[in-house]
Amino acid sequence: MATPTPSKPKFLRRLSLPERNFVAEALRAETVGGVLLLVAAIAALIWANTLGSSYESVRGFHLGISSLGLDLSIQHWAADGLLAIFFFVAGIELKRELVAGELRDPKAAALPVIAALCGMAVPALVYALVNVFGNGSLDGWAVPTATDIAFALAVLAVIGTSLPSALRAFLLTLAVVDDLFAILIIAVFFTSDINFAALGGAVVGLAVFWLLLRKGVRGWYIYIPLALVVWGLMYNSGVHATIAGVAMGLMLRCHRKEGEEHSPGEHIEHLVRPVSAGLAVPLFALFSAGVGISGGTLADVFTRPETLGVVLGLIVGKAVGIFGGTWLAARFTKAELNDDLAWPDVFAVASLAGIGFTVSLLIGELAFAGQDQLTDEVKAAVLVGSLTAAVLASVLLKLRVRKYKALVEDEERDEDQDGIPDMYELGKPEYHLRMATIYENKAAEHRRLAQVAGAGRDDGDGPA
C-alpha cells in the first residue's frame, strides 16, 4: 500500500472559527481606535501649527509627586504612563498568540516571526546605510522598525477596503511580534543609569502580581493599585515604564479551561482594549504628533540623513523586509500560498505595515532625547513616511478590492442563519439537512406563488 504524500502547509490559510471570531472582534476595536488615533494626530498638527505656544505650554505642563520621582510633564505622562496601558494589551495579545493563536505551533509561527524580524531588520539597515553614506547619526536606527496596527486598520476603515480574515490575521500577528521586539529594543537600547533598588522593587511587585493571579485572587481594587506601584518603581528604575505593562500582560492566563467561555486574559483584554485604543493611544498622539510643519521642515525631511533614513525605512524597508522574509520563509518551509490569494496581496499588506506611528514616535523621542529640533524633524519624518506607506498600500489594495470583497462575502455567507458561516459547516450532516429543508421550503413557496398566479390568470373566459 502506497504511503500518502503529506500535504504541504498552507500560508494564509482559512482560520479556525474561534480564531476568526477573535481576530474579527479584536480588529473591530483596533479599527475604531485607529480612527480616533488619526483624528488625534490631525488635531495635534493643527493645534501645533496654529496655536503652537499654547500646545507647547499644555504638553510641557508638569504635575505629579516630586518626592516619588513622578513630577512629569503631560507629554511624559502620555508616553510613559498611558502607553503602559497600550503595552499591557500588547502583552496579553502576545501571550494569547503564544498559547492559543497563530504562534502556538512553532512550524506555523516560523513564517510570521521571520517576516516580522525581516520587517524590522531591513528598515534598520536602510536607515543605517543612508546615515553612513550621509554622515548622519545612527542613534535613530530603531525608529522605522515599528508597525502601528491601529493606524494601519484606520487606513483600511477610511478607504473602505475589506481584507479577508487570513490577511487581517497575518497583519495582526506581524504587529504582535513587531511589538514584542520593539519592547525588547526599548528595554535593551534605551535603558541607562539603572536604579537597582527600584528595579528590584518592581520585580518583587511583579512576583506578587503573578502569585495573586496563580492563587485565583480576584478584585480590581487589588490589582490596579499594585500595577500602579509596579509602574512607578519601573519608571524610577531607569527601565522604560512601558515594560511593566507588557510584563503584567504576559502573566495573565490566556488559555480556556473546561467550561470557560473566555479566559481571564481575554476577559481583561476585552475590558482594557477600549481604554487603550480609545483613550491612551489617541492622547499620546495628541501630545506627541504636534510638530511645526513648514516648507523648510519638509525639505529637511528629504535632505537630512536621519529623517530621510526614517522615511525610506518605513516605505521601502518595511515592504521589502516583510515581503522578502515571507517569501524566503515560505520557500524554505515549502509552504504554499492560499489558492485564493496571490503574492501581490502579501506585498500590499507588507506596505501597509510601513505605517509606523505610535511606537516610532516613542522611539524617536527616546533616541534623540535632548535634541528638540531633531526630535521634531524625526517626528515629521515618521508622519511623512507613514502617510506615504498608507497611500501606497491603499492603491495596491484597491487594485484587488473586487477579489477581496468576493472572498469576504464567501467567509460571511450564512444561508441557514444559525450564526456560523456556511464554509465552517460544509462537512456536517446536520448543516446539509438544514439546507435541504431551507431549499424545500423555498421550492414549496415558489410552487404556492405559481399556483396563486395561475389561479388569478384571465385567459378571456374569466379567471382560470
Side-chain angles (χ1 to χ4, degrees), residues 5-16:
T5 303
S7 60
K8 294 183 178 180
K10 283 285 184 183
F11 167 49
L12 295 178
R13 67 194 185 281
R14 190 179 74 202
L15 302 178
S16 66

Side-chain angles (χ1 to χ4, degrees), residues 41-42 44-52 55-56 288-302 357 361 373 375-385 387:
I42 294 171
L45 289 172
I46 294 173
W47 188 3
N49 285 277
T50 54
L51 300 169
Y55 180 76
E56 292 297 333
S288 292
V291 294
I293 301 296
S294 63
T297 303
L298 292 176
D300 287 343
V301 166
F302 295 101
F357 190 77
L361 291 176
Q373 182 178 349
T375 299
D376 283 348
E377 290 175 349
V378 167
K379 288 181 179 181
V382 170
L383 294 173
V384 170
L387 179 61

Side-chain angles (χ1 to χ4, degrees), residues 63-107:
L63 67 147
I65 304 173
S66 301
S67 59
L68 297 179
L70 296 175
D71 182 20
L72 310 178
S73 67
I74 296 291
Q75 183 178 4
H76 277 104
W77 276 113
D80 294 289
L82 292 177
L83 278 195
I85 301 173
F86 166 79
F87 279 106
F88 175 69
V89 174
I92 299 175
E93 287 178 339
L94 177 62
K95 179 67 173 290
R96 190 198 164 279
E97 287 291 326
L98 289 170
V99 301
E102 290 292 296
L103 302 180
R104 69 185 182 280
D105 180 1
K107 292 182 179 179

Side-chain angles (χ1 to χ4, degrees), residues 141-329:
W141 63 270
V143 175
T145 60
T147 293
D148 194 309
I149 183 64
F151 215 150
L153 292 169
V155 171
L156 289 179
V158 170
I159 65 176
T161 299
S162 296
L163 276 183
S165 59
L167 280 175
R168 294 166 71 87
F170 180 59
L171 180 61
L172 180 62
T173 305
L174 277 176
V176 169
V177 178
D178 192 286
D179 285 342
L180 168 64
F181 288 104
I183 291 160
L184 292 176
I185 287 173
I186 291 170
V188 173
F189 295 99
F190 298 103
T191 295
S192 59
D193 302 325
I194 295 179
N195 181 331
F196 287 100
L199 182 60
V203 171
V204 171
L206 288 171
V208 173
F209 188 89
W210 179 85
L211 186 62
L212 292 174
L213 289 173
R214 291 300 171 273
K215 293 294 184 180
V217 177
R218 296 176 179 270
W220 62 268
Y221 46 84
I222 296 174
Y223 289 103
I224 291 182
L226 178 58
L228 291 174
V229 170
V230 171
W231 175 86
L233 288 168
M234 190 68 76
Y235 176 84
N236 281 284
S237 73
V239 178
H240 201 270
T242 54
I243 304 301
V246 74
M248 287 183 278
L250 285 169
M251 290 181 182
L252 294 176
R253 177 169 64 82
C254 291
H255 63 274
R256 301 177 188 179
K257 293 183 177 179
E258 188 176 351
E260 283 186 336
E261 186 177 352
H262 301 288
S263 67
E266 290 173 322
H267 176 67
I268 293 173
E269 181 185 9
H270 180 73
L271 295 175
V272 178
R273 185 187 289 276
V275 178
S276 170
L279 180 67
V281 176
L283 282 178
F284 167 76
L286 181 64
F287 294 114
S288 292
V291 294
I293 301 296
S294 63
T297 303
L298 292 176
D300 287 343
V301 166
F302 295 101
T303 56
R304 187 161 185 161
E306 292 89 350
T307 51
L308 182 61
V310 170
V311 172
L312 293 179
L314 289 171
I315 299 170
V316 179
K318 273 290 183 182
V320 172
I322 291 174
F323 180 81
T326 304
W327 186 85
L328 288 173

